[in-house]
Amino acid sequence: MDISKIRNFCIIAHIDHGKSTLADRMLEITSTLSSDQMQSQVLDDMDLERERGITIKSHPIQMNYKHTDGVSYTFNLIDTPGHVDFTYEVSRSMAACEGALLIIDASQGVEAQTVSNAYMAIDSNLDIIPVINKIDMPNADIESATKQTVELLGCDESEVISISAKSSINIEQVFDAIINRISPPKNPEIDKTRALIFDSTFDQFRGVIPYVRVMDGYIEKGMTCQYFASNSVHEITEVGILKMKKMPVKRLNPGDVGYIVASIKKVSEIEVGDTLTVKENKATEPLP
């Protein structure tokens, strides 16, 4: 995959502004899920998340999108928690991205978490795309929400996209903005392997599975991973990308977001935020 055709981004929003609904529409339009697999809040797989309508655990997912110009792009959406108590989880997701969709509810306007997330995205040097959602609500005030967004970000009014994720209004504009306004991953600074561990999950049969964003070098099955924050060493038995299920691939290249299976028994053996390298192509400096 040509690195210039990859877009890594997250969706950030105040609670209940429609972040999970937009993610649902994007998965539907890119045919990542078939219509019979589709359900509301598809990335929220905990019962509590569905019951309360709050994303608690971030879920990375890869989508393949064919643009109207005929060019195919790979979108890595790194979903973020929506509650104010999960600020750290949001910040580590941002570290794996180049851009962010900032969602604002047209009937609520800019709220506390909107401001907090926007400042975090600015501090992370992300390309921010402001999106006014729920424009089809009876009490929507698009003009006021747009004005507040422009004041918050200092952007031009023409940069703000108005959509309804629930009714699939103007979703194509979001795809265009992701392609045109979010930077592709940078070409590797070094040829040694460095990957950011931004999250992990636990599988009772396969142990701890780190989620990584590869910055430099590459990662393949059979390599031995090492870390900068711990002395742990693990042999990689599988690498893959994240669709709705984990899909093994031969190699993770720069710009890729994926997972690693390496028979890691305890969560304490790896640290989120650490830099992963490999013995066969070892880096000497960690990622910032």
Side-chain angles (χ1 to χ4, degrees):
M1 184 71 194
D2 178 358
I3 197 169
S4 69
K5 303 295 184 291
I6 296 173
R7 298 292 182 274
N8 296 323
F9 64 96
C10 56
I11 304 179
I12 51 178
H14 187 87
I15 190 167
D16 202 30
H17 278 211
K19 182 167 61 62
S20 295
T21 310
L22 178 58
D24 289 351
R25 290 296 77 71
M26 295 180 84
L27 293 171
E28 207 170 29
I29 290 168
T30 56
S31 302
T32 306
L33 289 182
S34 61
S35 54
D36 46 321
Q37 285 177 304
M38 199 67 218
Q39 56 179 343
S40 179
Q41 292 174 253
V42 75
L43 293 183
D44 297 340
D45 54 12
M46 289 185 204
D47 291 339
L48 182 63
E49 289 180 312
R50 295 186 163 282
E51 183 188 324
R52 299 293 175 90
I54 302 169
T55 303
I56 297 170
K57 182 89 175 79
S58 65
H59 289 258
I61 190 161
Q62 187 178 103
M63 298 174 270
N64 296 314
Y65 177 67
K66 192 163 187 178
H67 194 37
T68 47
D69 60 8
V71 178
S72 294
Y73 291 85
T74 296
F75 290 170
N76 289 309
L77 163 59
I78 300 174
D79 195 26
T80 60
H83 197 275
V84 67
D85 290 344
F86 297 108
T87 301
Y88 172 63
E89 284 77 1
V90 175
S91 71
R92 71 195 195 196
S93 292
M94 285 183 181
C97 299
E98 277 79 34
L101 301 178
L102 179 65
I103 313 297
I104 296 116
D105 185 327
S107 58
Q108 305 289 335
V110 169
E111 297 194 75
Q113 196 65 7
T114 318
V115 177
S116 167
N117 284 332
Y119 286 154
M120 260 197 291
I122 291 164
D123 287 344
S124 302
N125 292 320
L126 298 186
D127 300 317
I128 303 170
I129 299 171
V131 179
I132 307 293
N133 190 25
K134 305 188 186 182
I135 59 169
D136 54 344
M137 295 278 280
N139 58 340
D141 188 344
I142 303 165
E143 194 178 320
S144 173
T146 303
K147 191 178 175 186
Q148 291 172 39
T149 305
V150 169
E151 282 176 14
L152 173 66
L153 298 176
C155 62
D156 199 88
E157 211 168 287
S158 61
E159 294 173 44
V160 182
I161 302 169
S162 298
I163 69 160
S164 168
K166 194 172 183 179
S167 306
S168 295
I169 299 170
N170 294 341
I171 304 297
E172 290 297 336
Q173 288 185 26
V174 177
F175 284 107
D176 289 345
I178 291 167
I179 291 167
N180 298 321
R181 289 159 57 181
I182 292 179
S183 307
K186 289 178 184 170
N187 283 309
E189 293 177 14
I190 59 170
D191 59 358
K192 301 296 181 188
T193 298
R194 294 193 302 180
L196 171 72
I197 302 172
F198 66 87
D199 207 347
S200 67
T201 185
F202 186 80
D203 184 298
Q204 62 180 6
F205 302 110
R206 306 165 94 187
V208 181
I209 300 175
Y211 291 164
V212 298
R213 157 70 196 275
V214 182
M215 301 292 187
D216 308 298
Y218 62 91
I219 304 171
E220 284 183 348
K221 175 183 174 179
M223 289 180 154
T224 304
C225 50
Q226 298 180 326
Y227 316 89
F228 283 86
S230 75
N231 296 320
S232 303
V233 175
H234 302 103
E235 186 180 340
I236 299 169
T237 55
E238 183 179 306
V239 299
I241 55 172
L242 296 143
K243 296 277 189 170
M244 277 316 289
K245 293 180 179 172
K246 296 177 177 68
M247 289 180 59
V249 295
K250 186 176 183 297
R251 172 186 283 196
L252 292 176
N253 289 307
D256 284 342
V257 173
Y259 69 90
I260 290 170
V261 178
S263 303
I264 304 167
K265 299 286 189 290
K266 298 178 188 169
V267 177
S268 57
E269 290 180 56
I270 59 163
E271 286 193 39
V272 168
D274 193 8
T275 301
L276 179 149
T277 186
V278 291
K279 188 178 170 185
E280 293 80 1
N281 192 25
K282 192 173 179 180
T284 53
E285 290 281 319
L287 293 163

